[in-house]
Amino acid sequence: MSGAVHRALVRLPADARGRTRVEVTEVPTPRLDPGDVLLAPVTVGICGTDWQILRGLRDDPSRVLGHEGVARVVEPGDSGLPTGSLVTVNPTHPGDPSFLLGHNLPGLWAERTRIPATAVRAGLVLPVPEGADRPGVAALAEPLASVLYGLEVALGTTRPASLAVWGDGIVGRLAQDAWRRELPGLRTLLVGNGTDAVDPHDPGLPDLLAELPAPVGVVIATPRTGTRQALTAVDRHVRGTLLVDVHAGLPPGPVAMSAGELDVAALRADNCGGEPRPPRVHPFDRPAGPLLLYGHRGVSGAHLRQAVELLLTRQEESPGNAVLTHEVDLPGAADLVNSVLSSAGRVADGRRVLKTAIRIGGGGDDRRF
């Protein structure tokens, strides 16, 4: 591979005002160490976390982002994966923090991505069926897997009578759909900025939260800048047993809640990549009723496979139909990202940007790399 290059969507250094842009450019194709695998991404997603990195809300160093998607195997090394086979990558290593795809090493927004041996040995490169490179599957499998992980933890703890989803983006809408399917008749409240959601600053929101029948499940799926507000609001206004999935990230340090000063970021990170089993749920006493708090980083391979299967078998009624708003090629992705970054909101082509799928390589049975 000496001298080989490929195209990638590369994040440029921030300007004097802290603003960044992306561009499609040629970059050196990485040389492989023993045990590494080289992939050719086919269809990948733009995640809410990617937008946070691009806006400078996170300090992840990788210049090439992207941790959601499906690729074909170019060089399998000793992985046993057939050349040309379709795979997805679990982006979070449960025991090696040096592997966080698209965060601290180059991700999937490229024509070639190297997956290091430590991730390959951990089983993070997962075969998927043909057809999984469709935009509605490839770009949504990882966020749906994360939702399924959180729902699994909730159902192993209590059976909620109602649900509040704080954040009406990709994860929030997938969570609302998954919880409703699993718990028919579940009363739900969606908090966010969409026309079908209650604005987080609505003066009537405290009463709506207080009226939810207990036990109340809460999925917090905000940008990390909104997590503390969501936590303190549900803690203050929800009555009875409160089960909170802190799906969103947040800065480290104590959060003032009625149960005391809680290091929620540390508690959230107790579950990582599907470990431990059973997952940890942290109970606290509060004046309005018990608080059961949990979260997780990453998902297991089983969660990813379950998500792919659901998305493949429910094409017509897929939850992704409501959140997959844009499909672009690699140059189109640069235009979309730069357009959004130059504006105050997340709008492109006159539509709110939820999930964007980037088509990078050939799909179907194309084996040419």
Side-chain angles (χ1 to χ4, degrees), residues 133-146:
D133 56 336
R134 299 171 190 166
V137 180
L140 290 166
E142 197 274 340
L144 179 57
S146 191

Side-chain angles (χ1 to χ4, degrees), residues 35 90 92-96 99 115-126 273 299-301 305:
N90 190 337
T92 305
H93 196 299
D96 181 3
F99 180 82
I115 306 299
T118 178
V120 177
R121 288 194 300 268
L124 302 187
V125 183
L126 302 166
V299 299
S300 69
R305 284 187 287 267

Side-chain angles (χ1 to χ4, degrees), residues 253-319:
V255 178
M257 301 182 67
S258 62
E261 298 281 332
L262 306 182
D263 189 347
V264 178
L267 298 177
R268 171 182 176 268
D270 266 357
N271 300 313
C272 182
E275 300 293 336
R277 306 296 298 176
R280 295 191 180 101
V281 177
H282 301 276
F284 298 96
D285 292 325
R286 65 185 188 111
L291 169 64
L292 305 171
L293 185 68
Y294 72 96
H296 63 272
R297 292 179 58 252
V299 299
S300 69
H303 294 124
L304 269 173
R305 284 187 287 267
Q306 181 186 4
V308 169
E309 181 180 351
L310 284 171
L311 292 166
L312 279 173
T313 57
R314 287 169 40 198
Q315 292 290 316
E316 296 303 318
E317 55 173 346
S318 170

Side-chain angles (χ1 to χ4, degrees), residues 41-328:
V42 179
T43 309
V44 302
I46 301 179
C47 172
T49 304
D50 297 324
W51 289 114
Q52 293 177 45
I53 295 171
L54 291 166
R55 291 195 183 279
L57 301 176
R58 298 174 56 107
D59 58 1
D60 304 74
S62 178
R63 294 180 64 215
V64 178
L65 307 185
H67 59 273
E68 306 168 341
V70 166
R72 292 199 183 274
V73 176
V74 178
E75 295 189 36
D78 58 5
S79 67
L81 297 165
T83 300
S85 60
L86 210 57
V87 298
T88 190
V89 183
N90 190 337
T92 305
H93 196 299
D96 181 3
S98 70
F99 180 82
L100 193 56
L101 187 66
H103 291 254
N104 58 6
L105 78 167
L108 298 172
W109 292 0
E111 292 177 329
R112 296 291 184 272
T113 301
R114 167 186 166 266
I115 306 299
T118 178
V120 177
R121 288 194 300 268
L124 302 187
V125 183
L126 302 166
V128 294
E130 289 296 328
D133 56 336
R134 299 171 190 166
V137 180
L140 290 166
E142 197 274 340
L144 179 57
S146 191
V147 164
L148 296 174
Y149 189 2
L151 177 56
E152 175 190 299
V153 178
L155 295 178
T157 305
T158 187
R159 186 179 179 88
S162 58
L163 169 70
V165 177
W166 201 296
D168 66 334
I170 301 154
V171 169
R173 291 183 180 276
L174 291 175
Q176 179 176 248
D177 178 86
W179 282 63
R180 282 174 168 173
R181 288 178 181 275
E182 188 66 29
L183 300 168
L186 185 73
R187 180 171 168 181
T188 60
L189 172 67
L190 181 64
V191 181
N193 300 311
T195 57
D196 58 343
V198 178
D199 189 282
H201 303 291
D202 189 316
L205 179 57
D207 289 339
L208 293 175
L209 291 169
E211 292 166 0
L212 292 173
V216 179
V218 174
V219 176
I220 297 179
T222 59
R224 64 189 286 124
T225 52
T227 306
R228 287 173 180 260
Q229 176 199 355
L231 271 169
T232 55
V234 296
D235 177 44
R236 181 178 303 119
H237 300 299
V238 171
R239 300 288 176 260
T241 298
L242 174 61
L243 174 70
V244 182
D245 174 7
V246 188
H247 201 107
L250 74 163
V255 178
M257 301 182 67
S258 62
E261 298 281 332
L262 306 182
D263 189 347
V264 178
L267 298 177
R268 171 182 176 268
D270 266 357
N271 300 313
C272 182
E275 300 293 336
R277 306 296 298 176
R280 295 191 180 101
V281 177
H282 301 276
F284 298 96
D285 292 325
R286 65 185 188 111
L291 169 64
L292 305 171
L293 185 68
Y294 72 96
H296 63 272
R297 292 179 58 252
V299 299
S300 69
H303 294 124
L304 269 173
R305 284 187 287 267
Q306 181 186 4
V308 169
E309 181 180 351
L310 284 171
L311 292 166
L312 279 173
T313 57
R314 287 169 40 198
Q315 292 290 316
E316 296 303 318
E317 55 173 346
S318 170
N321 293 339
V323 297
L324 182 61
T325 56
H326 294 73
E327 297 180 36
V328 293

Side-chain angles (χ1 to χ4, degrees), residues 7-9 22-24 42-44 46 109-111 135 326-337 349 356-362:
R7 294 187 308 160
L9 188 62
V22 298
E23 69 175 12
V24 179
V42 179
T43 309
V44 302
I46 301 179
W109 292 0
E111 292 177 329
H326 294 73
E327 297 180 36
V328 293
D329 59 10
L330 203 54
D335 292 340
L336 182 144
V337 168
D349 301 326
T356 298
I358 308 173
R359 276 284 194 182
I360 297 177

Side-chain angles (χ1 to χ4, degrees), residues 12-30:
L12 302 176
D15 63 18
R17 297 191 206 175
R19 298 177 303 188
T20 191
R21 291 175 55 82
V22 298
E23 69 175 12
V24 179
T25 188
E26 289 189 340
V27 298
T29 300

